[in-house]
Amino acid sequence: MSTADIAIIGAGAVGCAAARRFALEGAKVVLLEKGADLLSGASKANSAILHTGFDAPRGSVELACMQEGRREYLAIRERMNLPLLETGAIVVAWSEAERAALDGIEAQAIENGVTDVRRLTAAEIRLREPELSRSVLEALLVPGEHVIDPWSPFLAYLIEAKTQGAELRFSTEVLGGDFDGEVWRLSTSTGEVRANAVINAAGLYGDRIERLLLGDASFEIRPRKGQFVVFDKAAAKLVRSIVLPVPNERTKGVVLCRTAFGNVLVGPTAEEQEDRTRATVEEATLKGLVARAVEMVPALAEVDVTAVYAGLRPASEEKGYRIRVEAERRWISLGGVRSTGLTASLGLAALAVRIYSEIGQGHAAAKDPVWPKVPNIAEHLPRDWEQSDHGEIVCHCELVTRREIEIALDGPVPPGDFGGLKRRTRAGMGRCQGFNCNARLASLTAGRFAAPLAKDEAA
Amino acid sequence: MSVPADHTNVVIVGAGPAGLAAATELKRLGVGSVVVVEREREAGGVPRHCGHPPFGMREFKCVLTGPSYARRLARRAARAGVDLRLQTTVVAIDRDGDDPAVTLTSPEGVSAVRAERILLATGVRERTRAQRFASGDRPLGVMNTGALQAYAYLERLAPFRRPLIVGTELVALSSLLTCRAIGAEPVAMVETGAGPTVPEVYMMLPWLLGVPRFYSAEIVDIFGAPRVEGVTLRLAGGGTETIACDGVVFTGGFQPEATLVRAAGLELDRGTLGPSIDQFGRTSDPRIFAAGNVLRPVETAGWSWEEGRRVAGFIAEDMKGLLPVHQGAARLRPGPGVRYVVPQRLALGGGGLSQLQLRLGARSEGRLVARGKGRELASAPVAARAEQRVLFRSDLLGPVSGDVTISLEER
Ligand SMILES: Cc1cc2nc3c(=O)[nH]c(=O)nc-3n(C[C@H](O)[C@H](O)[C@H](O)COP(=O)(O)OP(=O)(O)OC[C@H]3O[C@@H](n4cnc5c(N)ncnc54)[C@H](O)[C@@H]3O)c2cc1C
Ligand SMILES: Cc1cc2nc3c(=O)[nH]c(=O)nc-3n(C[C@H](O)[C@H](O)[C@H](O)COP(=O)(O)OP(=O)(O)OC[C@H]3O[C@@H](n4cnc5c(N)ncnc54)[C@H](O)[C@@H]3O)c2cc1C
């Protein structure tokens, strides 16, 4: 059995970015993911905002990684065909107390290097956001906050990693392992894996992985659930900016923003829970979110709900990221990446490479890396249905073509489950939620997923 | 997106019973070119996947299953000379210009067709799990009846073996039959109301099939991964019950497929969530008509077919300049106890569909009273369940203008 340079545990946002970075550095990477597809954990459900770090803790690793990650995303995105919806954000004061807090937020933004922020008067807000409730008092405009497609970047990173020789092992759970002074021997549900170094990017299980492999955990994961409601595409013309509340200690609060797919979302909540697997939606909470959205933008009362979802943040008992380095044992934990990992992932990957260059061996970086382009699924850019020979429209609400589905299924990193197909194509994610296409998708994907859509042939 | 458009007399969006009936009728009335645009691979609309009878009594004077009914309608339209374009989706309606146009995507790519008149016949769908805010995980196996039917009758697949059925509209019974067709055994029927939406006698079917019924019961948790493993209900008395199952079917709660209506900026009715029309089926843009279940939740295939046929007649008259002006129509509004009224407008001069279609908010008995300008215009006795068809003759109102409200006065 060959020994990899680096085993990365977890194909979430952080693990996928790390796999790409290390593969580009010339390391032999093996990525181990217990789910059937990438983004099976915390990373499958978030607000999809590419943050500036304007409100991140001063001088923190989190801030540095967010800003480095954001910069890299903006630099590489066009080559990989990754979208950017340049919405800008407004931090909105709805009360005098919140208004008083804007000074501090503005000062922090400037200190964090986000210097293009600017105050908006109620009249200016009305011009920019005519549908926003008139009870708004004042806002801070953060032009650099943008919306992205939260899934395609990580697919692109894994395709790139694979092109550079990385081995991607899905449905592979790390169950234990030890380090003999030279090599890590990881026992997994699909056999032993050997590597010279380990990156722990296990998200909601980061502490458990430390305990399992290092004997002790340097932090404790405290899952924090966020529920969301997605409004129909008809809502997209009602909001331009990301509407952020004045944040409090625990959370950035409930956000209202467009999505890259032409919808509007409201959420997330911040609910502590013990359970690391169940991210349930709850009727009362969802209705509360709709009510909050309608308070902010009254015209949303007339718009249908398209989808509801929930995600778990891998928060820990402390606020910041939990980076643990064990030089002797050649181990790096990228843990506790609770609510900014979409933005920070590339920055965390770069950080890991810097740490590794001190504790691991050197590699010759790939000379002319290829830049795989992923199919666009964002609404504001050309889609496959606009081209000829697309086969047919399979998902009518999201106008997903048969060719798009076939390309995903036959791609270099094919989806391991239906969720993976949805994230690659948007099939079934529209307003009818599969009323029209679910059965057709069951046929088109027969034999592809460990958990197939159809349980059986009809009796 | 702007592509040069073909020109035609009438474009019909949707080849369900309403669209096909309208197309066939337009040809019979001598309209030159009639294009029907249908996004699915086959014409026929929802009946394509309703594998059970009874369909076709009104149209073919015999009892057919949905799929054979759908095929017959399609054949009749083809024979009449209708230009039926399958696998073609209308993605937008462009209302600028003298004639409106539809933008299409098909396997050949994007194209456009301009037409003197457009008829929207896009039908209904059922309210999704998300729209109902049902709590719990989001596993495989949760769907609407329409999807279940497509599994069973279009793809010959079974999405589950032991599903739980939510709702007691007629379509819930149809989902029981569909389950039987794929060899699945429903474990329960769950209804939030205190009794079934259909008349009590219909509930013989689940009783005969041995499917337990739960009334005043609410889903508080759907759980399982990757597939549904069970559902927890809150029962009438306040207790809970957990039922093992491998699927959940959310039935009914119909809603017009009115995406195009909204996107085109046509007036939408809050009661039906479909386009608001006058007695000739004209939407707020008089060049664009609508018929069939896109108008309201929900009618039968036969009704939608008849409506398509009638509205086709109005379109043909309109093309000869024979319909009364669109402006200055009276507005019909639902008052207390009434969920919706279709049509929502009455153009001056009468004619058109002779019946107003209403639904009551809940099962009730009493009088429907139409009032305009503070005056009672007409009234009629009514006794109906929530989703039951209620009709009110529009000629009873006499010539009307301004706002007319139709309310329920309970006995
Ligand atoms: C509600 C919400 C909103 C958010 N909004 C934003 C936002 O707008 N912008 C932003 O930048 N960030 C946002 N985030 C944060 C971002 O989603 C997370 O920071 C990020 O997803 C964390 O990624 P991760 O890779 O650390 O964890 P995960 O995605 O959980 O990845 C860990 C992976 O490890 C796998 N794994 C675990 N144990 C094992 C094992 N034993 N063997 C093999 N594999 C294993 C898991 O299956 C999982 O796939 C949000 C998060 C939430 C929940
Ligand atoms: C699950 C379900 C079960 C039902 N069961 C019964 C039953 O047993 N008996 C009964 O009488 N009625 C039943 N109905 C009611 C049904 O709506 C009517 O039978 C009938 O189909 C209505 O006809 P229609 O032409 O208005 O709409 P539909 O039959 O729904 O036809 C609309 C057509 O428009 C097409 N379309 C929509 N948008 C576009 C677009 N943008 N571009 C191109 N094409 C488009 C659709 O693909 C569809 O083919 C059921 C409805 C549902 C949803």
Side-chain angles (χ1 to χ4, degrees):
Chain A
M1 184 195 310
S2 70
T3 302
D5 294 317
I6 297 172
I8 298 172
I9 306 175
V14 176
C16 293
R20 166 179 173 272
R21 186 76 257 159
F22 277 100
L24 286 173
E25 293 299 323
K28 188 165 179 298
V29 172
V30 56
L31 176 65
L32 308 170
E33 167 56 51
K34 71 174 174 186
D37 198 36
L38 59 145
L39 312 185
S40 294
S43 304
K44 76 171 157 221
N46 55 55
S47 323
I49 301 174
L50 187 71
H51 294 295
T52 55
F54 79 92
D55 59 349
R58 300 179 173 91
S60 62
V61 175
E62 180 176 13
L63 174 62
C65 289
M66 284 168 79
Q67 296 192 330
E68 187 172 2
R70 179 175 192 280
R71 263 196 308 276
E72 185 171 354
Y73 180 82
L74 294 178
I76 66 176
R77 68 170 195 92
E78 274 169 356
R79 274 180 285 184
M80 298 183 127
N81 201 29
L82 298 171
L84 183 72
L85 202 57
E86 298 182 51
T87 54
I90 51 174
V91 184
V92 175
W94 301 96
S95 67
E96 285 302 335
E98 287 175 355
R99 185 180 210 165
L102 288 181
D103 279 342
I105 299 171
E106 183 174 1
Q108 184 176 2
I110 289 168
E111 215 177 306
N112 286 355
V114 183
T115 52
D116 59 349
V117 297
R118 171 162 83 74
R119 295 286 266 271
L120 299 179
T121 64
E124 289 173 308
I125 298 169
R126 218 160 290 155
L127 267 181
R128 191 183 162 92
E129 300 290 346
E131 296 291 340
L132 201 64
S133 160
R134 292 295 163 94
S135 57
V136 49
L137 299 178
E138 202 183 334
L140 180 72
L141 173 70
V142 190
E145 297 273 308
H146 297 322
V147 167
I148 61 174
D149 164 354
W151 305 304
S152 300
F154 304 101
L155 177 63
Y157 302 164
L158 284 199
I159 294 175
E160 173 140 47
K162 193 173 179 189
T163 315
Q164 297 297 332
E167 184 191 353
L168 313 179
R169 281 172 71 160
F170 296 110
S171 301
T172 298
E173 180 171 1
V174 174
L175 301 167
D178 41 30
F179 183 66
D180 64 7
E182 292 286 325
V183 174
W184 273 102
R185 285 190 165 72
L186 303 177
S187 61
T188 80
S189 56
T190 59
E192 191 184 84
V193 171
R194 283 197 229 154
N196 294 320
V198 170
I199 306 255
N200 169 15
L204 291 157
Y205 294 84
D207 54 343
R208 297 239 175 122
I209 286 290
E210 284 196 355
R211 204 164 293 128
L212 197 63
L213 298 178
L214 299 178
D216 67 292
S218 62
F219 60 96
E220 191 194 326
I221 288 292
R222 305 253 174 92
R224 191 177 297 157
K225 181 166 75 178
Q227 300 186 51
F228 294 90
V229 172
V230 180
F231 288 94
D232 191 273
K233 292 178 198 284
K237 60 176 190 297
L238 303 175
V239 252
R240 176 174 155 200
S241 322
I242 301 164
V243 182
L244 302 171
V246 169
N248 63 30
E249 263 307 288
R250 228 163 37 91
T251 146
K252 288 181 175 297
V254 170
V255 175
L256 186 74
C257 68
R258 286 188 283 153
T259 71
F261 314 112
N263 298 76
V264 166
L265 66 74
V266 61
T269 54
E271 307 164 62
E272 316 271 346
Q273 66 177 46
E274 294 279 313
D275 196 307
R276 298 178 190 226
T277 52
R278 289 197 78 191
T280 58
V281 291
E282 278 124 38
E283 180 175 358
T285 312
L286 299 171
K287 287 182 171 162
L289 283 172
V290 171
R292 181 75 198 105
V294 170
E295 247 171 49
M296 291 191 265
V297 174
L300 283 172
E302 304 290 318
V303 182
D304 257 330
V305 165
T306 287
V308 300
Y309 67 98
L312 297 179
R313 303 174 186 85
S316 74
E317 80 284 11
E318 280 175 29
K319 233 183 144 183
Y321 290 176
R322 311 306 291 270
I323 311 294
R324 175 176 182 179
V325 182
E326 294 288 334
E328 302 287 287
R329 289 186 276 183
R330 292 206 287 275
W331 175 282
I332 305 170
S333 285
L334 304 172
V337 185
R338 48 170 203 159
S339 57
T340 49
L342 184 66
T343 307
S345 54
L346 292 170
L348 276 158
L351 173 69
V353 164
R354 286 195 294 274
I355 297 171
Y356 176 79
S357 69
E358 308 206 339
I359 67 171
Q361 73 234 62
H363 300 285
K367 279 217 189 61
D368 298 305
V370 292
W371 291 93
K373 281 196 191 304
V374 284
N376 170 60
I377 53 172
E379 182 96 344
H380 63 291
L381 297 169
R383 288 276 309 274
D384 195 47
W385 64 263
E386 298 165 55
Q387 313 300 318
S388 51
D389 300 320
H390 60 56
E392 72 188 279
I393 304 291
V394 174
C395 165
H396 297 303
C397 304
E398 296 294 316
L399 294 172
V400 181
T401 68
R402 195 173 72 218
R403 179 168 55 190
E404 284 177 300
I405 286 165
E406 285 164 356
I407 285 175
L409 291 174
D410 300 333
V413 182
D417 55 19
F418 184 45
L421 182 70
K422 287 162 108 177
R423 292 191 289 272
R424 281 166 184 75
T425 63
R426 298 227 13 104
M429 295 184 101
R431 51 178 75 85
C432 88
Q433 294 281 295
F435 173 93
N436 288 301
C437 70
N438 193 273
R440 177 92 179 112
L441 287 169
S443 283
L444 291 174
T445 59
R448 303 287 191 145
F449 305 145
L453 280 173
K455 210 164 182 180
D456 285 295
E457 311 242 305
Chain B
M1 194 174 335
S2 161
V3 276
D6 285 348
H7 220 104
T8 184
N9 295 120
V10 181
V11 164
I12 296 176
V13 189
L20 290 175
T24 309
E25 180 70 0
L26 283 167
K27 289 305 291 184
R28 194 185 68 82
L29 294 171
V31 172
S33 63
V34 178
V35 175
V36 179
V37 182
E38 169 56 52
R39 61 192 184 182
E40 295 293 345
R41 289 176 293 167
E42 272 179 74
V46 164
R48 277 177 312 128
H49 51 68
C50 295
H52 52 75
F55 285 89
M57 322 260 270
R58 203 189 288 240
E59 305 84 331
F60 301 105
K61 314 284 178 264
C62 61
V63 178
L64 302 167
T65 65
S68 53
Y69 168 73
R71 279 191 296 273
R72 282 223 202 174
L73 288 179
R75 235 181 288 137
R76 206 187 247 189
R79 271 204 299 268
V82 170
D83 177 359
L84 180 59
R85 304 197 188 162
L86 299 176
Q87 289 195 342
T88 307
T89 306
V90 176
V91 292
I93 297 175
D94 168 12
R95 301 204 285 122
D96 300 339
D98 288 343
D99 284 338
V102 290
T103 307
L104 309 172
T105 176
S106 74
E108 283 76 54
V110 172
S111 60
V113 179
R114 209 164 272 293
E116 288 164 56
R117 299 291 180 273
I118 293 175
L119 173 67
L120 300 173
T122 49
V124 280
R125 59 174 192 265
E126 294 163 283
R127 263 174 57 232
T128 64
R129 177 208 171 159
Q131 287 179 296
R132 301 169 199 235
F133 301 113
S135 302
D137 295 325
R138 296 178 310 113
L140 297 177
V142 179
M143 63 189 64
N144 290 123
T145 318
L148 165 61
Q149 291 180 338
Y151 269 91
Y153 297 115
L154 300 181
E155 309 294 338
R156 307 278 159 198
L157 292 170
F160 38 56
R161 286 294 169 208
R162 297 174 56 72
L164 176 133
I165 313 288
V166 183
T168 56
E169 291 179 50
L170 263 179
V171 65
L173 303 181
S174 153
S175 81
L176 290 179
L177 296 176
T178 310
C179 284
R180 272 178 71 82
I182 55 171
E185 290 176 12
V187 295
M189 275 183 99
V190 176
E191 165 62 51
T192 48
T197 309
V198 291
E200 202 65 64
V201 296
Y202 285 64
M203 296 307 278
M204 285 291 280
L205 179 67
W207 180 79
L208 284 171
L209 295 173
V211 180
R213 279 100 41 223
F214 294 86
Y215 296 109
S216 305
E218 234 180 294
I219 292 186
V220 291
D221 192 17
I222 297 172
F223 56 90
R227 211 170 269 292
V228 178
E229 287 158 23
V231 166
T232 302
L233 302 178
R234 191 179 313 113
L235 302 178
T240 61
E241 175 148 342
T242 295
I243 300 174
C245 59
D246 64 356
V248 181
V249 187
F250 286 95
T251 69
F254 292 100
Q255 176 176 345
E257 181 66 82
T259 307
L260 289 171
V261 175
R262 195 190 266 275
L266 299 171
E267 191 179 291
L268 206 67
D269 180 56
R270 284 188 185 187
T272 58
L273 296 179
S276 98
I277 56 159
D278 68 8
Q279 72 269 41
F280 304 105
R282 287 183 293 195
T283 68
S284 56
D285 181 330
R287 304 165 301 174
I288 302 177
F289 290 68
N293 274 340
V294 70
L295 291 180
R296 94 253 98 194
V298 59
E299 266 297 348
T300 60
W303 181 279
S304 302
W305 177 85
E306 176 64 19
E307 197 167 56
R309 212 173 57 85
R310 296 289 309 280
V311 170
F314 306 141
I315 292 175
E317 284 179 33
D318 189 35
M319 291 168 76
K320 295 185 198 139
L322 297 178
L323 289 195
V325 293
H326 184 247
Q327 284 86 10
R331 294 227 151 231
L332 302 179
R333 300 185 195 278
V338 177
R339 238 174 78 205
Y340 65 69
V341 183
V342 176
Q344 293 82 352
R345 280 173 287 120
L346 287 180
L348 294 171
L353 299 169
S354 54
Q355 304 271 22
L356 307 181
Q357 308 173 41
L358 296 81
R359 294 291 181 278
L360 304 185
R363 173 189 217 128
S364 15
E365 256 180 70
R367 268 182 348 131
L368 283 174
V369 182
R371 286 199 178 75
K373 304 206 172 92
R375 210 160 57 76
E376 182 173 318
L377 302 172
S379 80
V382 65
R385 288 167 289 102
E387 300 292 339
Q388 195 178 343
R389 173 191 303 156
V390 175
L391 300 176
F392 193 101
R393 273 173 47 199
S394 56
D395 62 350
L396 292 179
L397 298 175
V400 287
S401 60
D403 274 16
V404 175
T405 302
I406 303 183
S407 321
L408 172 74
E409 295 187 354
E410 277 184 84
R411 258 207 292 280

